[in-house]
Amino acid sequence: MKSINGTNADSILIDLEAVTLAELMARAEAATLAHHSALVTYSRKVFIPLTQLCRDVCQYCTFATTPAKIGKAYLNRDEVLAIARAGVAAGCREALFTLGDRPEDRYNAARSALTELGHESTLSYVREMAEAVLVETGLLPHLNPGLMNDADYAMLRPVAASMGLMLETTSNRLSEKGGPHYGSPDKLPAVRLEALEAAGRARVPFTTGILIGIGETRLERIEALLAIRESHARHGHVQEVIVQNFKAKAGTKMVNHPEPSLDDHLWTIAAARLILGAEMTIQVPPNLHAPEELAVLLAAGANDWGGVSPVTPDHVNPEAPWPHLDVLTKATAAAGRVLVERLAIGPNFALNADEWLDPALAVTVRKQVDARGLPVVESWRAGGEELPPALPQSGETCSTPAIQSIIDRASAGDRLSIDEIETLFRADGPDVAFITAAADELRSKAAGDTVSYVVNRNINYTNICLYKCSFCAFSKGGNKDMRGPAYLIDEAEVGRRAAEAVERGATEVCLQGGIHPDFDGHTYHRILTAVRMAAPGIHIHAFSPLEIMHGAQTLGKPLEDYLAWLKEAGLSTLPGTAAEILDDEVRAIICPDKVTTAEWLDVMRAAHSVGIRSTATIMFGHVDRYDHWAKHLLAIRDLQEETGGFTEFVPLPFVHMEAPMWRKGKSRSGPSFREAILMHAVARLVLHPLISNIQASWVKLGPEGVVEALRAGVNDLGGILMDESITRAAGGQNGQIFGPNRMADIAGSAGRGIRQRTTIYGNIGHPAKETNGVCHVE
């Protein structure tokens, strides 16, 4: 039994009840793990009970009350913001507005209060308060204001990351006299189904669900789940489905009504998973079960705990306090799963924020998430000065056996599939440590235990460029732009700087620049000649594939001929920059006028064919996904298998601070630290045994981050980079030079030795020394 595609509720019930509960749960859990892996999400939020007045009289509800009992119809602005700010202080990211349905239709007190607040309706007031919370605190509002139509959703959509309405049931029987919904016009199934449809038409990320144990039959539960599935199939808007169990509450007419058993709840969770499919998020409120019951709820097919607040109670179930997050973490781990935060908007919707959110809100969400659509919770960012978070300790999860199988294939030198590589990138919790340990073991076998580096100088001879790459803060389009003026260094000065680099102990000079409108193929030849005359013995590591392509095209030369001509002039190796992401879907967004994936690979293939070796890079963490990363790694591996010309692979985390596309709200804020470390580890696994050297960028990761990378499969720290300028232009804060002494300190912190190398990983006869921060050769 896989996901259930049938639409006949009677036959589905027969199928579900034909197997044991244990078998049903096993199938549901397998479906859950196949799509969501070991991750279990929750939202760290505050609950804002804007009003507890409601025109409905549900027989089980203690949230709704009367004006005489509550004294005040609505929270005022100061009270709302006080709750929100308390949430910010506690690390919350969501503000859930919970309230009764249109109380002004029933109570004069509500109408009068709204008039004093300057509003005609509760929904209008909700909009004002949601906007206030969003603008003044940054919390993402999730709105549960009851029944709404197309116009209501359109009004609220600009201030809400998501909205919700529990369907509860599609049984009209429960709204008849004596039923739990009798006298509650908003609980009629037809009007709730229409509200669910209207949310889909309005493109609102939506939370809905069923309430079990209020007198419905299992057949009626299936009918409700099918109705949700059908609406989602039409609109794609349901981000999660709650399977909530009824709890009898004192002071209600259903105080003595029997609650559903744990087994009944487990059966319904499993049924929901199989009916709604592996991709759907199935949520179970963790405060409605004893802590020792939580793990088994996950085993039934749930993958989300909903909102958990460190600040406010569950106002709908005040008798059931939230479990402490450490209790929830342990219970989740007991099920072999990993607890991670999410936003008010589900991860798949967050990754497609332009489709599902108002433009301004889409920018807010995009800047918070990683490539999974989950929030980056640490303050560390690539190129910044903040310390990285501690990585998880090793252990096992439900995903570990599958990850072990992938690692075994990689260690044997097999070519992994895109799906397998994505599985590695999605790892979290103990599985991250498992992957990094495996990569580091492979590093020791393939590259030894000594960390290497090269003494080099960067010469970026111009920042004027014809191209408009949306990630680049280095390129200047006029006399003055971000982070300094435009410049062009002449060939004599390039030569002088190369000679000075030799005096300071450099064995390599790295030459790259923008595509200046006056440059042609002769320009690069003249630059090489100037360097070779000024510094005859230095290794010239120069020109990105974009520069090579530009030079060859301007002279009408085949790539091989042009590269051979440059080699004769002194070109030694090529830097593997301009690769960004080797997938044209991404390149169409971030560098549409640059070399294509095929052209980048063609330049490298041509270089290798004439005896010029090169590095390979990836610049990740912006608009890309894990499948793009996988395709990039496989493209590098495949070309290396063909030519053997790559000397190393260099992951370059996107530094966002001054990048134009980030400033315009078009990209994420760089990778999370988990993603950055996994990129190095996964690269080691995917490229084994074809590329032995994996390099970490101290400019991007910072000193502490580099130490972690050295424990995750990295064997090289790159160059000391005298005069690094490209990352600094993007907002990087880690300086322009990282001398031999600091290189040794970093290696020592990882328990490793250090050696200076040549560009192509040979040994140096007379390593450079450092005195008072200046390199020199004794």
Side-chain angles (χ1 to χ4, degrees):
M1 182 190 299
K2 297 181 180 180
S3 294
I4 296 173
N5 297 317
T7 58
N8 185 286
D10 293 286
S11 62
I12 290 174
L13 179 61
I14 292 171
D15 290 342
L16 291 174
E17 292 191 328
V19 299
T20 65
L21 176 60
E23 185 176 354
L24 193 69
M25 289 174 58
R27 293 172 178 175
E29 184 179 33
T32 305
L33 294 173
H35 185 78
H36 299 279
S37 67
L39 299 188
V40 178
T41 50
Y42 80 101
S43 177
R44 196 177 181 99
K45 68 175 69 173
V46 289
F47 288 73
I48 300 177
L50 195 63
T51 180
Q52 290 185 252
L53 301 181
C54 183
R55 66 179 178 179
D56 296 318
V57 288
C58 301
Q59 306 302 305
Y60 47 76
C61 180
T62 58
F63 176 75
T65 185
T66 64
K69 292 180 179 178
I70 199 171
K72 185 177 181 180
Y74 296 89
L75 296 179
N76 63 35
R77 179 187 180 91
D78 289 343
E79 291 168 327
V80 168
L81 289 175
I83 295 172
R85 288 178 177 130
V88 172
C92 297
R93 290 175 173 78
E94 175 183 345
L96 186 151
F97 284 78
T98 182
L99 57 150
D101 207 317
R102 301 182 189 271
E104 64 270 28
D105 290 357
R106 181 179 180 186
Y107 296 113
N108 286 330
R111 290 192 291 273
S112 298
L114 286 170
T115 299
E116 291 180 9
L117 292 166
H119 290 273
E120 294 184 355
S121 69
T122 297
L123 291 181
S124 174
Y125 186 50
V126 168
R127 191 194 193 286
E128 180 187 336
M129 291 301 96
E131 183 174 26
V133 167
L134 178 62
V135 171
E136 297 198 25
T137 72
L139 293 181
L140 296 175
H142 172 87
L143 308 182
N144 284 340
L147 290 183
M148 291 184 284
N149 58 30
D150 295 70
D152 297 327
Y153 286 119
M155 175 187 68
L156 293 171
R157 191 174 183 270
V159 298
S162 56
M163 303 186 213
L165 176 74
M166 289 288 284
L167 177 59
E168 296 194 8
T169 183
T170 52
S171 172
N172 288 309
R173 181 177 58 82
L174 299 183
S175 290
E176 296 172 356
K177 190 172 183 178
H181 292 156
Y182 179 68
S184 300
D186 301 300
K187 293 301 177 76
L188 292 171
V191 297
R192 293 182 93 75
L193 284 170
E194 171 53 26
L196 180 61
E197 283 290 296
R201 291 191 297 268
R203 310 302 288 162
V204 171
F206 209 68
T207 297
T208 189
I210 62 174
L211 179 62
I212 71 168
I214 57 174
E216 82 294 340
T217 66
R218 281 186 170 180
L219 180 63
E220 288 168 335
R221 294 177 195 172
I222 292 171
E223 290 171 341
L225 291 169
L226 287 174
I228 293 170
R229 187 177 78 180
E230 290 165 6
S231 182
H232 181 61
R234 283 187 288 273
H235 306 292
H237 65 307
V238 178
Q239 64 175 7
E240 59 198 358
V241 174
I242 305 170
V243 180
Q244 183 168 333
N245 51 313
F246 162 77
K247 301 294 288 185
K249 298 176 178 63
T252 68
K253 292 184 178 181
M254 294 179 69
V255 62
N256 295 316
H257 187 82
E259 298 178 351
S261 67
L262 176 60
D263 280 359
D264 195 25
H265 198 188
L266 295 174
W267 184 92
T268 310
I269 294 168
R273 169 59 67 203
L274 295 174
I275 290 170
L276 297 171
E279 294 185 5
M280 182 59 69
T281 291
I282 304 293
Q283 180 189 131
V284 180
N287 58 321
L288 302 185
H289 283 277
E292 60 271 17
E293 296 175 342
L294 296 180
V296 73
L297 299 174
L298 299 178
N303 68 296
D304 184 79
W305 293 127
V308 178
S309 179
V311 178
T312 52
D314 180 353
H315 293 281
V316 177
N317 299 284
E319 77 288 350
W322 299 112
H324 290 295
L325 285 176
D326 59 344
V327 172
L328 199 60
T329 300
K330 291 176 182 177
T332 304
R337 312 287 274 279
V338 180
L339 186 66
V340 295
E341 282 193 55
R342 63 165 170 82
L343 298 178
I345 180 173
N348 290 335
F349 294 84
L351 290 177
N352 296 283
D354 287 330
E355 177 183 355
W356 291 101
L357 295 176
D358 182 78
L361 202 51
V363 171
T364 299
V365 167
R366 187 179 298 115
K367 288 185 174 182
Q368 294 186 40
V369 298
D370 64 13
R372 301 173 297 182
L374 296 175
V376 178
V377 298
E378 72 258 16
S379 60
W380 180 90
R381 289 292 185 274
E385 295 181 309
E386 299 86 354
L387 293 177
L391 291 174
Q393 298 299 308
S394 60
E396 290 195 10
T397 74
C398 291
S399 297
T400 306
I403 289 173
Q404 178 65 70
S405 177
I406 296 169
I407 289 172
D408 289 344
R409 287 191 0 90
S411 298
D414 293 344
R415 186 184 190 274
L416 300 182
S417 69
I418 291 173
D419 286 345
E420 288 174 317
I421 298 170
E422 281 193 85
T423 296
L424 297 178
F425 280 126
R426 290 187 179 279
D428 210 324
D431 286 327
V432 173
F434 191 73
I435 292 169
T436 57
D440 205 41
E441 181 179 354
L442 203 57
R443 180 271 310 156
S444 182
K445 295 177 180 177
D449 293 326
T450 302
V451 178
S452 57
Y453 73 96
V454 63
V455 176
N456 64 350
R457 183 173 193 173
N458 272 21
I459 304 177
N460 302 121
Y461 34 79
T462 184
N463 62 356
I464 300 170
C465 189
L466 292 168
Y467 291 81
K468 302 297 181 184
C469 300
S470 61
F471 57 85
C472 182
F474 172 73
S475 170
K476 303 294 181 276
N479 291 327
K480 189 170 288 187
D481 205 336
M482 293 181 295
R483 304 186 72 86
Y487 68 83
L488 172 63
I489 299 172
D490 63 29
E491 292 144 18
E493 176 61 15
V494 171
R496 189 198 68 77
R497 293 189 185 189
E500 184 180 70
V502 172
E503 293 174 3
R504 293 171 61 181
T507 60
E508 171 197 306
V509 63
C510 181
L511 307 172
Q512 294 183 95
I515 307 299
H516 193 285
D518 295 335
F519 282 11
D520 63 13
H522 293 292
T523 307
Y524 303 110
H525 192 272
R526 289 196 301 270
I527 291 172
L528 291 171
T529 301
V531 172
R532 184 57 69 223
M533 290 180 64
I538 201 163
H539 183 107
I540 304 178
H541 185 61
F543 311 141
S544 71
L546 176 61
E547 293 174 282
I548 296 297
M549 181 73 73
H550 177 75
Q553 289 177 342
T554 56
L555 298 185
K557 283 179 174 285
L559 283 171
E560 290 84 356
D561 293 349
Y562 182 63
L563 283 160
W565 186 50
L566 296 183
K567 182 181 179 183
E568 290 176 2
L571 179 61
S572 307
T573 53
L574 288 187
T577 50
E580 325 316 346
I581 297 291
L582 293 177
D583 185 282
D584 288 334
E585 179 185 4
V586 176
R587 301 182 79 80
I589 299 171
I590 68 172
C591 52
D593 57 349
K594 208 169 189 176
V595 290
T596 65
T597 296
E599 288 171 337
W600 189 94
L601 293 169
D602 284 346
V603 171
M604 289 305 187
R605 183 179 290 106
H608 299 168
S609 73
V610 299
I612 300 174
R613 301 192 70 187
S614 68
T615 63
T617 66
I618 183 171
M619 193 270 290
F620 63 102
H622 33 84
V623 303
D624 42 353
R625 301 186 307 263
Y626 295 155
D627 62 315
H628 297 135
W629 300 1
K631 292 173 185 176
H632 183 109
L633 289 171
L634 290 175
I636 297 298
R637 178 189 171 94
D638 291 345
L639 185 58
Q640 180 72 348
E641 190 165 31
E642 176 186 340
T643 69
F646 291 121
T647 57
E648 67 203 40
F649 182 74
V650 190
L652 301 172
F654 172 55
V655 177
H656 72 280
M657 288 78 91
E658 296 292 342
M661 65 180 176
W662 183 84
R663 290 166 68 93
K664 295 175 182 177
K666 300 296 185 181
S667 77
R668 303 193 303 276
S669 301
S672 68
F673 190 64
R674 179 194 68 85
E675 290 175 320
I677 292 301
L678 276 176
M679 177 59 79
H680 294 78
V682 173
R684 169 64 68 185
L685 294 166
V686 173
L687 299 176
H688 179 75
L690 302 176
I691 297 179
S692 298
N693 301 303
I694 307 296
Q695 183 183 120
S697 169
W698 56 265
V699 179
K700 307 291 196 297
L701 297 179
E704 296 81 4
V706 166
V707 171
E708 291 299 332
L710 287 174
R711 296 168 176 155
V714 166
N715 68 293
D716 185 73
L717 296 179
I720 68 168
L721 298 181
M722 306 174 197
D723 304 320
E724 194 287 323
S725 57
I726 294 176
T727 300
R728 285 189 300 118
Q733 301 296 312
N734 289 312
Q736 294 180 256
I737 189 168
F738 209 78
N741 292 348
R742 296 193 72 187
M743 292 287 190
D745 290 343
I746 291 297
S749 295
R752 310 258 286 281
I754 191 79
R755 76 175 179 95
Q756 184 182 338
R757 63 168 174 85
T758 66
T759 303
I760 57 173
Y761 287 82
N763 291 317
I764 295 290
H766 300 284
K769 305 296 182 180
E770 182 180 351
T771 304
N772 298 323
V774 177
C775 292
H776 60 92
V777 177
E778 293 182 346

